[in-house]
Amino acid sequence: MSEEHRGHCLCGAVRFRTQGDLSKIVACHCSQCRRQTGNFYAAVNVRDEKLTVEGSENVAWYRASNRAGRGFCRTCGSALFWKGDGSNYTSVMAGSFDRPTGFSIGVHIYCADKGDYYEIADGAPQFPQGG
């Protein structure tokens, strides 16, 4: 039987379901992620064919760079997705999943750009840029 996870935005206008095993959390410390969320992004990568989104008409996409889009709920503003151009997966924000998740941080990326108000001390690999 395939593992399933569910989640939603703060107001519930966007709900999603994933099927199958998910990646460990990728923690991105780049300035764009920090500015969008107020801290670092913590997301799991889900193959597109394993992600079902209900209420997708409530998802707005913002092009923060020329290589990816950031999806958020147009009603409550919850950050939900990150999608690289041409990739076959979507990064889904870990905090939007229903508990229990069983997730753990697997890697930290863009650590050279991290906020100066916290330390990374969980033992997961750290990369100055992408991993």
Side-chain angles (χ1 to χ4, degrees), residues 16-106:
F16 60 85
R17 178 174 45 91
T18 68
Q19 295 284 331
D21 295 334
L22 299 177
S23 71
K24 287 193 172 205
I25 291 174
V26 175
C28 182
H29 301 268
C30 79
S31 62
Q32 288 183 357
C33 288
R34 287 188 298 102
R35 289 183 191 282
Q36 185 180 24
T37 66
N39 206 8
F40 61 90
Y41 251 27
V44 295
N45 297 329
V46 181
R47 293 187 55 83
D48 289 339
E49 68 270 11
K50 302 290 187 177
L51 174 64
T52 303
V53 178
E54 298 172 18
S56 60
E57 68 277 8
N58 297 311
V59 176
W61 288 90
Y62 174 68
R63 298 283 302 175
S65 72
N66 62 359
R67 63 182 201 90
R70 295 167 179 270
F72 60 94
C73 175
R74 66 175 72 242
T75 303
C76 66
S78 294
L80 296 168
F81 309 115
W82 183 93
K83 178 78 174 157
D85 294 347
S87 73
N88 62 356
Y89 70 89
T90 300
S91 296
V92 181
M93 299 308 110
S96 61
F97 282 89
D98 297 337
R99 291 174 54 178
T101 64
F103 298 161
S104 63
I105 292 179

